[in-house]
Amino acid sequence: MAQSEKQVSLVIPLYNEEEMMPILIEKLEEFRSKNSVISEVIFINDGSRDKTEALVYELTSTLTGYHLINFSRNFGHQIAVTAGLDFVTTDAAIIMDADLQDPLDTAGKMIEKWQNGYDVVYGVRKERDGESVFKKATASLFYRFFKWITDLDIPLDTGDFRLLDKKVIKAYQSVSEQQPFVRGLITWLGYDQIGIEYHRESRKAGETKYPLKKMIRLALNAITSFSDKPLRIATQVGTILSILAFIGILWVFYVRLFMDTAVPGWASSLLITLFLGGVQILFLGIIGAYLARIYGEVRHRPRYLLKNSWKSDGTK
Ligand code: UDP
Ligand code: MG
C-alpha cells in the first residue's frame, strides 16, 4: 500500500471542555475535509463533570469517524493520552489538546513528515500566546532542569503534541508504567524522530485544566520516572556534611586538649543541629517520592477504567 493511503487518528483528551466542544468539532471537520487521511478522531473523556460527554454525542452523532472513550473518573491527562493510543486502529496517531493550542496546520505538517518516512514528529513550541509569564517561565525552567537531571536527551520545549507511527504506538504499549510521562517515554523509545517548530496559540475557550498542583505533580513524576540523580545528590551531600562534621570534631578536641580554652557557643551548635535535621527530612522526602513510585508500581492496579465507549457510526 502506498504511504499516502495510510490513515491517521487524532487522539484528544477531554476534561471539562464543554466550552471548547462546538468550536473544536467545527475546526476538526474543516481540517478533515482538507485532509482525507484523518479517518478517526478518538476523544478520551477523562471524567468530565460538565456537559462534555453529552456535547460529543450531540455534535458528532451524524458525523463519521468519531470515537468516544469514557473513563470511570478523572485519571489525569497523561493516562488519558496513554489510553487513547490503546484504541488507535490506523497507521499513525497525533496526540493533541482539545483547546486548539496545538494548531491543526502543524498537525498537517506532521503528517507530511511522517509520509516522508519519520516515525515520530514532535512539535517544538517557538512562541506561546496567552499563557502567564509564570507558566512560561516555570515550563522553560523545568525542561532545562529535566534535561540536566536525567540522562535522557529530551528535546526542549516540547509537549505531548506529536505524531506517532503505528510501530511507535506498539512500542509505547509495551511500556507498562503506572504513571507514564508520555513525552519522556516517547523520546526514550527512539526510532526516527524529528521536531517541527510551531507557534503555540492561546486556549480558544474555557480555562486551563492544569493548575499549579497538577503541574508540580507532572514535574515530580517526570523526574522520579527518569532519574535517580536526586538520590545520588543526597548521598553526595551527606558525605560532604559528614566529612565537614568530622573535621569540626577534630578541631573541637584539638582546642580542648591543646589550648587553654574550649570552643564556645551553644547557639551555633543548635543552628547546625537544626540545619542537619532539615537536610535529613528533605532527603527522607526524596526517598519517599521514589518509594511512593515503587509502591504505585507494585500494586499493579489498572491504569484506567472505562465507563463505556461509543462510535459516531452507531456501533459500540
Ligand atoms: N486534560 C485531561 N485530564 C486532566 C487535565 C487536562 O484530559 O486531568 C486535558 C484537557 O482537556 C486538554 C489537555 O488535557 O485537552 C491539556 O490541558 P490544558 O489545555 O488545560 O493544559 P495547559 O495547556 O493549560 O497546560
Ligand atoms: Mg491548553
Side-chain angles (χ1 to χ4, degrees):
M1 198 181 0
Q3 188 76 289
S4 59
E5 291 170 66
K6 291 191 169 180
Q7 301 293 302
V8 180
S9 305
L10 300 181
V11 170
I12 307 179
L14 305 173
Y15 181 54
N16 295 342
E17 295 286 5
E18 61 181 7
E19 290 102 332
M20 269 313 300
M21 291 321 291
I23 147 161
L24 173 65
I25 286 162
E26 187 197 318
K27 293 281 177 210
L28 288 175
E29 282 305 293
E30 198 185 303
F31 183 62
R32 290 177 72 197
S33 67
K34 286 181 280 174
N35 293 273
S36 57
V37 288
I38 303 199
S39 59
E40 185 179 57
V41 177
I42 302 172
F43 287 132
I44 307 92
N45 174 20
D46 187 11
S48 297
R49 279 183 292 262
D50 64 358
K51 294 204 234 41
T52 302
E53 182 181 349
L55 279 170
V56 174
Y57 300 136
E58 192 186 316
L59 297 165
T60 68
S61 58
T62 57
L63 305 171
T64 53
Y66 283 86
H67 193 171
L68 175 67
I69 316 290
N70 285 306
F71 275 0
S72 64
R73 60 169 172 83
N74 179 255
F75 280 89
H77 170 244
Q78 299 287 292
I79 299 286
V81 168
T82 302
L85 293 175
D86 288 343
F87 287 88
V88 172
T89 55
T90 54
D91 305 291
I94 299 177
I95 302 168
M96 54 187 290
D97 288 355
D99 55 7
L100 294 171
Q101 280 197 286
D102 307 326
L104 284 163
D105 285 350
T106 311
K109 289 183 198 149
M110 288 178 173
I111 294 172
E112 280 168 29
K113 289 272 181 213
W114 169 67
Q115 286 166 339
N116 290 335
Y118 286 99
D119 300 318
V120 175
V121 189
Y122 52 84
V124 182
R125 302 159 177 175
K126 260 291 123 192
E127 287 146 66
R128 298 167 73 127
D129 285 347
E131 288 177 312
S132 65
V133 176
F134 179 75
K135 180 142 190 165
K136 283 193 246 187
T138 47
S140 168
L141 208 71
F142 170 71
Y143 286 114
R144 278 143 191 91
F145 178 72
F146 185 76
K147 210 179 163 114
W148 171 76
I149 204 149
T150 61
D151 296 327
L152 191 71
D153 195 17
I154 194 166
L156 291 171
D157 304 318
T158 57
D160 292 321
F161 179 34
R162 55 190 67 213
L163 179 149
L164 310 178
D165 183 80
K166 196 157 88 182
K167 64 171 167 291
V168 181
I169 297 175
K170 232 173 146 226
Y172 181 74
Q173 283 163 338
S174 69
V175 176
S176 58
E177 282 179 31
Q178 289 285 323
Q179 291 293 327
F181 180 54
V182 180
R183 62 202 79 162
L185 284 171
I186 292 171
T187 302
W188 178 85
L189 291 175
Y191 298 94
D192 290 336
Q193 307 214 3
I194 188 165
I196 53 175
E197 292 182 348
Y198 74 103
H199 183 117
R200 189 155 165 91
E201 290 169 20
S202 53
R203 178 177 255 282
K204 292 289 170 276
E207 280 169 8
T208 174
K209 309 298 178 296
Y210 254 101
L212 185 63
K213 209 171 121 191
K214 280 192 187 173
M215 274 164 59
I216 293 174
R217 204 184 303 158
L218 179 74
L220 287 179
N221 178 41
I223 292 166
T224 51
S225 63
F226 278 98
S227 173
D228 58 3
K229 219 179 203 172
L231 295 171
R232 281 188 277 130
I233 292 172
T235 313
Q236 286 156 7
V237 172
T239 312
I240 293 167
L241 285 177
S242 307
I243 293 169
L244 288 177
F246 187 68
I247 295 169
I249 291 169
L250 292 182
W251 169 245
V252 168
F253 272 108
Y254 176 79
V255 171
R256 180 72 185 82
L257 295 176
F258 300 107
M259 293 185 180
D260 290 340
T261 127
V263 177
W266 64 270
S268 49
S269 336
L270 183 69
L271 277 181
I272 289 168
T273 310
L274 286 177
F275 170 71
L276 288 180
V279 170
Q280 280 170 6
I281 293 168
L282 176 74
F283 288 158
L284 274 180
I286 292 177
I287 297 171
Y290 286 90
L291 190 68
R293 209 184 155 81
I294 298 169
Y295 184 43
E297 292 296 337
V298 299
R299 277 185 303 208
H300 290 303
R301 288 186 187 162
R303 291 194 283 190
Y304 58 86
L305 292 168
L306 300 188
K307 193 170 73 178
N308 53 31
S309 72
W310 175 87
K311 280 185 177 170
S312 63
D313 58 9
T315 52
K316 292 259 168 200

